[in-house]
Amino acid sequence: MPARRRHGKILGWPDQKPTACHRLWIVTNSSAAVFVHWIAFQPTALVSFRCHWECVCVMAGKEFMEWLCREGGVVHAGISLFHDFGGGRRGVVANQAISEGEELLLIPCKATLSWHTSEDPDGDPPQCRDDVTSALNQYGGDLSPFASAVLILLGEIRKKDSLYQHYIKTLPDDTCDCLMAWSCEEVGHLKGTSIESYSPSTMRNLYDDSLKPFFEANPALFGEGIPSYDEVLYAGCMVQSRAFHMQADNWVTRTAVEGTKLHMLPGIDMINHSCIKKERNSVLNRVNDSRTFRDDNAAERTIKGFFTMKAERDIKAGEEILHNYGDLSDSELLDIYGFVGSSDVVTNPHNGVTIPISCIMESCKKMSIGEILLLPASGLEELIAEKGGGTGSSSGAKTQDVSLGAMFLDASEWSELVCLSLLKAVGVCVQRYPEPLSQAVELLKKNSLPHREALAAQLRVAELRILEQTKVALVKSLLAIEQGYEEGSGGSDLDVEDDSSSGDELHGDKKRMKVK
């Protein structure tokens, strides 16, 4: 399953086309992946604790800024890097007007955390522990880029005098609301949603199958005692929610080549996400160039290779600096980062709902789904087998998309049949949720739910709204079909929003029905 991450570009590597810092794909085993999000510092009810936290945050931020400047980093004088919005939410805010193209943050490659290998381009390597990097390069086991990045971060966390200690102090104290940290009971509140099959045991499996063998092969690497599961869970949350994955694009074939580099970018990883395009105002680039600066002693120093976040448009004073983590639905955002993009005042334009094939089969018991899909019986059996048998819930594997014949909506002899089958499938899907839309909305209004239950309720509301809108669109299409028959034209005016260049799927992120 894909774990998405923020977008960026790489510029200026010799003899290499620009590449994109795309969304991170983490596969820890054949059936599940690690998805987390950091929600920083839950608010405390005790004023004394609150004041203490603010003092710690200010001190950690001051030390971090001093460290970053010593390493050659740059922070725009007009931004607040650790702005506290209250309610446990932090972010980056402009304290003054900033013009388009101005540099907001510059992070030298040597100040990032990543696994350095001999295959990396020329430039300043990260200053992570050499012994951990060497052990990773020599280890014969099968470690994913994610697992390797977790080990790199663990090495710095466990080292008392780590060069990254000031960055580590700015990280949250715990995993907070990361989905991987949810209990089985909490995951149960996701019933009916597109991520109901998420397995809380994913990180435990990674620890037992991949990381623990590495610890046992290198018993002295992390000091006294091997890291515990809780330590690994914390580091996994930090890496998953913050690391950037580099992926090279081939301009000729238009295909992407999966890379292995994961970078944690101090400072840049403080910038929050917005699902609304007009709200986003920053863009990330990586540049293989040299830059000279003066240190505290006025001596000239040079860095080679750096990441830079620039203003994508003019930014007003008081405006939050926002970035794009990817065009993700609410289920993906909750799955990966631990928050939902939609609210009472904002609708995530990238929302979608996964309809399991079991719902399709149940809705079509009284009609031939093979006829709907224009498949012979043998072809239908192959399709079901290919798509995982229709459940996908027991193994935790991603429910795959199944075409419902969207291409036939414009053919008069098939339009009505496809619309009817879709309408039935949507109705069956709605019944899988623990409550109807009206009750889910009322539940949220009470404002008394535990935070994770509220997040699950937000997702249920967002997905139920999509399904209700889909039902309206289908009814309108059926009426249009009937009118077409009366006029002798046939066809349908079902509005299908196509987010891809190929395929005929009618759900997920590919195509979605939209009410006109």
Side-chain angles (χ1 to χ4, degrees):
M1 285 192 286
R4 313 302 175 91
R5 193 51 180 142
R6 316 170 191 191
H7 292 171
K9 295 180 180 178
I10 303 181
L11 304 176
W13 290 107
D15 303 320
Q16 184 176 335
K17 295 293 185 182
T19 54
C21 184
H22 283 286
R23 296 171 290 189
L24 170 62
W25 290 68
I26 297 172
V27 179
T28 58
N29 55 49
S30 60
S31 63
V34 182
F35 298 114
V36 295
H37 175 64
W38 161 51
I39 301 294
F41 296 105
Q42 292 301 301
T44 175
L46 299 179
V47 175
S48 59
F49 283 6
R50 178 68 176 174
C51 294
H52 172 70
W53 175 85
E54 289 177 345
C55 292
V56 170
C57 186
V58 170
M59 181 59 67
K62 180 177 182 294
E63 293 174 345
F64 169 80
M65 296 281 281
E66 292 173 350
W67 164 76
L68 188 61
C69 291
R70 287 197 302 270
E71 298 300 324
V74 177
V75 179
H76 193 291
I79 67 172
S80 173
L81 199 56
F82 299 95
H83 185 82
D84 180 16
F85 293 97
R89 182 173 179 268
R90 294 190 302 176
V92 182
V93 171
N95 294 326
Q96 64 184 48
I98 298 174
S99 301
E100 178 182 354
E102 285 192 53
E103 192 171 75
L104 305 174
L105 285 159
L106 181 146
I107 312 299
C109 288
K110 67 175 184 176
T112 67
L113 278 84
S114 64
W115 174 24
H116 182 69
T117 69
S118 58
E119 298 177 357
D120 291 340
D122 292 337
D124 297 330
Q127 301 176 91
C128 304
R129 285 175 53 179
D130 291 336
D131 53 351
V132 177
T133 300
S134 178
L136 283 170
N137 290 331
Q138 296 175 17
Y139 184 61
D142 185 17
L143 290 174
S144 67
F146 171 77
S148 301
V150 169
L151 293 171
I152 289 288
L153 179 57
L154 272 174
E156 300 304 326
I157 291 175
R158 278 213 163 191
K159 186 178 181 181
K160 293 182 179 179
D161 57 345
S162 168
L163 293 174
Y164 296 90
Q165 59 182 302
H166 300 303
Y167 167 60
I168 292 171
K169 289 178 182 178
T170 68
L171 300 178
D173 288 335
D174 53 43
T175 58
C176 297
D177 295 307
C178 301
L179 193 56
M180 65 157 54
W182 286 34
S183 67
C184 292
E185 181 181 356
E186 290 167 335
V187 171
H189 295 293
L190 299 172
K191 180 182 177 182
T193 70
S194 301
I195 52 174
E196 66 175 355
S197 61
Y198 177 82
S199 173
S201 64
T202 298
M203 194 63 186
R204 170 63 72 176
N205 294 337
L206 176 66
Y207 180 80
D208 293 337
D209 299 339
S210 298
L211 298 181
K212 197 170 182 180
F214 179 85
F215 298 146
E216 292 171 348
N218 301 274
L221 192 59
F222 293 92
E224 185 177 347
I226 66 172
S228 67
Y229 169 71
D230 288 340
E231 289 180 271
V232 170
L233 177 62
Y234 173 80
C237 290
M238 297 304 104
V239 171
Q240 171 63 7
S241 61
R242 292 169 174 268
F244 292 74
H245 186 215
M246 311 313 296
Q247 191 176 51
D249 290 334
N250 187 310
W251 286 8
V252 177
T253 64
R254 296 189 179 278
T255 57
V257 179
E258 195 77 9
T260 58
K261 288 294 291 183
L262 279 166
H263 301 268
M264 294 189 72
L265 308 181
I268 287 178
D269 58 10
M270 285 297 302
I271 298 177
N272 290 323
H273 165 80
S274 175
C275 59
I276 308 301
K277 186 176 181 179
K278 66 179 182 180
E279 292 182 353
R280 302 193 288 255
N281 49 27
S282 59
V283 60
L284 174 66
N285 290 302
R286 177 178 171 178
V287 182
N288 184 39
D289 198 359
S290 296
R291 179 174 291 198
T292 301
F293 70 100
R294 293 188 180 275
D295 60 18
D296 293 338
N297 299 319
E300 281 196 356
R301 295 172 58 191
T302 301
I303 58 172
K304 184 176 182 181
F306 50 87
F307 293 84
T308 178
M309 186 70 81
K310 291 188 176 182
E312 194 173 23
R313 58 170 173 80
D314 291 344
I315 302 173
K316 299 177 181 179
E319 186 177 353
E320 183 177 5
I321 309 298
L322 295 169
H323 189 44
N324 180 23
Y325 292 7
D327 295 336
L328 308 178
S329 67
D330 283 341
S331 62
E332 290 172 310
L333 288 171
L334 181 57
D335 195 345
I336 302 164
Y337 299 106
F339 64 89
V340 175
S342 297
S343 66
D344 291 339
V345 295
V346 175
T347 298
N348 184 350
H350 309 293
N351 250 348
V353 178
T354 298
I355 300 179
I357 194 173
S358 58
C359 291
I360 301 168
M361 297 295 289
E362 184 177 346
S363 67
C364 297
K365 284 178 180 178
K366 295 183 180 180
M367 63 176 67
S368 169
I369 189 173
E371 291 180 359
I372 295 172
L373 296 173
L374 295 185
L375 287 174
S378 59
L380 177 60
E381 292 174 359
E382 293 175 3
L383 175 66
I384 294 174
E386 177 186 344
K387 300 303 179 180
T391 58
S393 59
S394 60
S395 65
K398 177 178 174 61
T399 303
Q400 298 193 36
D401 296 342
V402 176
S403 171
L404 292 182
M407 62 185 294
F408 303 119
L409 285 173
D410 292 328
S412 59
E413 65 269 28
W414 292 106
S415 300
E416 189 170 11
L417 188 58
V418 172
C419 282
L420 286 171
S421 64
L422 280 173
L423 196 56
K424 286 186 176 183
V426 169
V428 172
C429 194
V430 167
Q431 294 174 6
R432 298 173 68 247
Y433 291 79
E435 72 276 291
L437 175 59
S438 57
Q439 290 184 16
V441 171
E442 289 301 318
L443 193 64
L444 276 177
K445 286 181 179 179
K446 292 181 179 179
N447 233 1
S448 59
L449 292 176
H451 186 60
R452 291 177 184 172
E453 288 187 35
L455 287 173
Q458 282 181 267
L459 179 60
R460 296 199 302 272
V461 167
E463 291 197 352
L464 283 168
R465 281 175 174 160
I466 293 173
L467 292 171
E468 291 298 322
Q469 291 170 357
T470 300
K471 289 166 70 175
V472 172
L474 286 167
V475 170
K476 286 186 176 182
S477 295
L478 284 169
L479 292 173
I481 291 169
E482 290 297 325
Q483 183 180 0
Y485 284 150
E486 293 174 2
E487 297 176 356
S489 61
S492 164
D493 72 345
L494 179 65
D495 185 6
V496 177
E497 182 179 17
D498 193 346
D499 291 332
S500 67
S501 59
S502 63
D504 296 303
E505 292 165 330
L506 196 56
H507 87 167
D509 286 334
K510 306 291 184 177
K511 295 185 178 181
R512 307 185 189 96
M513 283 168 282
K514 182 175 65 177
V515 180
K516 288 184 176 180

